[in-house]
Amino acid sequence: MNLLDTILVGIKEIWAHKFRSMLTMLGIILGVSSLVAMSALVKGMENGMKEALVAMGGLEKVRVEAQDDLPVYQKHLADQAPGLLMQDVHALQSGAPLIENVTPIVEQHGYRSRINITYRNKLARPWRIYGTWPGILELEDHRIEHGRMFNEIDNEMARSVCVIGVEIRNDLFGDPEKTGKEIIPVGEVIQINGQPFTIVGMFEHYMTEKERKEKELARLEALKNPQPQGGVVRDKGRSGSGPSGYVFRLKNNSVFIPLQTMMIQFRAAAGADETADPKLSGIYMKVKDISVLETALQQIRNVLQVSHNGIEDWTFRTEEDLADGIQLTIANFRMSGVIIAAIALVVGGIGIMNIMLASISERVREIGIRKAVGATTSDIFIQIIMESLVIALLGGFMGLGVSVALVHSITTFTPTENNPVITIEAMVFAFACSAMVGMIAGMIPAIKASKLHPIQALKYD
Amino acid sequence: MALVELREIRKTYHLGGETIHALDGVTLDVQAGDFTSIIGPSGSGKSTLMHILGCLDSPTSGSMSLDGVNIHDATPRELAKIRGEKIGFVFQFFNLLPKLNVAQNVELPLIYQGISSRSRKEKSMHALKLVGLEDRAKHRPSQLSGGQQQRVAIARALVNDPRIIFADEPTGNLDSHTGEMILETFCKLHQEGRTIMLVTHDPEIAALTPQKIEIRDGKIALDVDAKLAGKESRFKLRGSPEPNP
Ligand SMILES: Nc1ncnc2c1ncn2[C@@H]1O[C@H](COP(=O)(O)OP(=O)(O)O)[C@@H](O)[C@H]1O
Ligand SMILES: [Mg+2]
């Protein structure tokens, strides 16, 4: 019997029991669609996380941060801990050849340190204010849209200049999406905790890939059917929600000033004895080549061991740690997705097996007749396997359709930073899974049917 | 060499410690072109013999050859092939597939021989013409009378142009008039040169066929011709063969 005939017989048989077959397919539809949808969600998460990783400066970035809690065996040395100082920066610059762009940073937490920025009667609360060197631009993947970054001279002379994120501008000068006109605040003087600072530059508006697309779409829409109000773009609510969006929001809400300015204008006031507190919050740097990351870390460790007399009041942070964390989260999420889908597929498979067993016991006589006119054991086996396979593949096919609809509606009704992305690989894999389930589920019924003795089958009622 | 040769065929069933000898050493030859009837009382082993002859069942012991092929040591796959290519089987209860229409039922043996769908259609229409049902090709078996269904079954047995046709009480489920028409069909086929074996328990039907075998308790009874000699058949069939001298 040729394959096409067998498949046709299978399809006819399924068509003859439409409702029953449809119910049977449900399990497979659920399994396949959850497999594809889960993988799409994971893929979306992955994309979002990768975006965030790049926005933080990539894998080459190494952060050395001050650590107040010493390891247990060094607790008694706490009062001798020097903290991160400028001398560490110089030591790293000269003593660790595998790293470059060593940049000290003093970070003030906007809310905790109660930092107010005012312009006329407007108030802005920055999330962070950083005193640092211009090198931070490269380390944190910052891009200036208007004006310039402060430079070494600004730093040497401790000038009162700042570079701000877009949200700070929005709070102080108005949001162009709401007012309809863009204000470039370069040259304006604002008050940071009452001290005048001149804005020399503003960063670009950092946003996730998804936000960018939405903006573009909204802009095109506005062009197509212009509203009477003019080109006001629809307010999409708070930009950058979700875990990866945080990185972008943080950058948009930051203010950067030269390190010296920070030391003189903020630290002097903060120091307990009216002298400047020389401690840095961190030293950021870049490994020259990601392939020598381990060696470079060892160099940094060696340098700091010496300059800190072996006291471990500092710690490493590489983005690799973060990347590993991300990988782990995603792996867990993927695992639970696979388990759910696998359970659905197994249940679907059992459903198919059940219906095929019922179907062959209804058709014992038919099988006897087919054998009597020349069907071989393998003809019958293939026929039953094909029927089971066709049910599974139809289910799989519909499952793919359902998954596309599902992912589409997730995207439409609950937009997130990480839009789920359906991949061809996931679809092929899920479809192959449904085929496999169909084969396995059809195995036992097919063996049972093909082993029937023609005469016994013909005498059966 | 005869078309079919049976030698000392035995078929034994074991039912709850009891042994039933359905066939108890049957030896017979069937020549090409024979039209043989098998008669005997109910339970004498006629159907068992037909199933073995039709390669649907295998004997407990004994040897058999059909068209020069040894059946007793054929594998199930080879048996299926022989059933499909060399044998046509007509059952008492028609055994048509209710979900298929008449033409599809007739085509069924050809599907398993990998014959193309076009050639299958041609052959099935030809077979339906032989039994006079070509205008019912699209009907379902349930839309036909019993006699018509049996003629469809005969067409299905003919469609693969078999070496031999076995019919197990083909008229047993029909009224006598319809039965007559079925017999007429078989006589016509015999005249066209086909080899036919037909089971009946009606001696008057048996009297119509040139060859007769009687079975009792799983054995061939030898006095069959003597018993039937001189018996006038109540059937007056068109083209019925001359009774054996
Ligand atoms: N599957 C079976 N199991 C046990 N006994 C059987 C089976 N098939 C047939 N028989 C027995 O074999 C004998 C012959 O049966 P069968 O060939 O059907 O007789 P007939 O067709 O001449 O009426 C009977 O006694 C019957 O009970
Ligand atoms: Mg019988």
Side-chain angles (χ1 to χ4, degrees), chain A residues 95-112:
Chain A
L98 285 175
I99 57 171
E100 59 189 9
N101 198 358
V102 181
T103 302
I105 193 155
V106 172
E107 180 180 330
Q108 298 263 6
H109 196 282
Y111 291 95
R112 255 184 259 141

Side-chain angles (χ1 to χ4, degrees), chain B residues 46-47 168-169:
Chain B
K46 303 184 297 293
S47 292
D168 190 357
E169 303 204 40

Side-chain angles (χ1 to χ4, degrees), chain A residues 56 61-71 81-85 88-89 92 103-107 128 130 136 140 250 279-285 297 300 304 308 311-319 321-322:
Chain A
M56 284 184 299
K61 198 174 115 183
V62 178
R63 291 184 285 171
V64 172
E65 288 179 355
Q67 179 173 262
D68 295 335
D69 273 341
L70 294 185
L84 286 178
L85 299 169
D88 291 320
V89 176
L92 284 169
T103 302
I105 193 155
V106 172
E107 180 180 330
R128 297 282 192 283
Y130 300 100
I136 197 70
E140 300 239 284
L250 178 62
K279 279 183 187 160
L280 303 171
S281 353
I283 305 172
Y284 291 7
M285 65 212 82
L297 290 183
I300 298 167
L304 293 180
H308 285 242
I311 300 175
E312 294 176 27
D313 58 347
W314 52 274
T315 173
F316 278 131
R317 286 254 189 120
T318 62
E319 305 304 345
D321 299 340
L322 183 74

Side-chain angles (χ1 to χ4, degrees), chain A residues 284-341:
Chain A
Y284 291 7
M285 65 212 82
K286 205 160 195 149
V287 177
K288 279 179 179 158
D289 191 323
I290 190 69
S291 60
V292 293
L293 181 66
E294 278 311 313
T295 329
L297 290 183
Q298 194 52 51
Q299 281 184 358
I300 298 167
R301 204 171 285 131
N302 292 345
V303 169
L304 293 180
Q305 283 282 334
V306 173
S307 61
H308 285 242
N309 299 324
I311 300 175
E312 294 176 27
D313 58 347
W314 52 274
T315 173
F316 278 131
R317 286 254 189 120
T318 62
E319 305 304 345
E320 249 192 359
D321 299 340
L322 183 74
D324 288 348
I326 291 170
Q327 291 301 331
L328 191 68
T329 314
I330 289 175
N332 287 342
F333 194 74
R334 178 182 289 143
M335 185 49 76
S336 46
V338 163
I339 288 171
I340 291 170

Side-chain angles (χ1 to χ4, degrees), chain B residues 100-182:
Chain B
L100 304 183
N101 68 27
V102 164
Q104 287 165 334
N105 264 290
V106 175
E107 274 180 41
L108 205 58
L110 303 177
I111 286 182
Y112 294 107
Q113 295 177 43
I115 291 172
S116 77
S117 111
R118 235 182 87 197
S119 143
R120 282 196 322 247
K121 286 214 169 64
E122 273 169 25
K123 286 180 191 232
S124 65
M125 279 319 284
H126 179 72
L128 280 172
K129 269 193 196 115
L130 287 178
V131 299
L133 281 175
E134 64 271 29
D135 52 339
R136 297 303 189 103
K138 292 277 174 273
H139 289 216
R140 289 290 166 114
S142 57
Q143 296 168 314
L144 304 180
S145 73
Q148 286 169 327
Q149 288 188 47
Q150 192 61 299
R151 273 148 69 198
V152 173
I154 293 172
R156 182 180 65 190
L158 282 172
V159 76
N160 55 353
D161 194 19
R163 297 302 315 267
I164 184 163
I165 295 169
F166 298 104
D168 190 357
E169 303 204 40
T171 60
N173 220 28
L174 302 170
D175 61 73
S176 64
H177 173 70
T178 324
E180 235 168 87
M181 284 177 46
I182 295 296

Side-chain angles (χ1 to χ4, degrees), chain A residues 78-96:
Chain A
D79 54 339
Q80 294 173 39
L84 286 178
L85 299 169
M86 280 310 289
Q87 70 190 54
D88 291 320
V89 176
H90 301 310
L92 284 169
Q93 277 174 331
S94 53

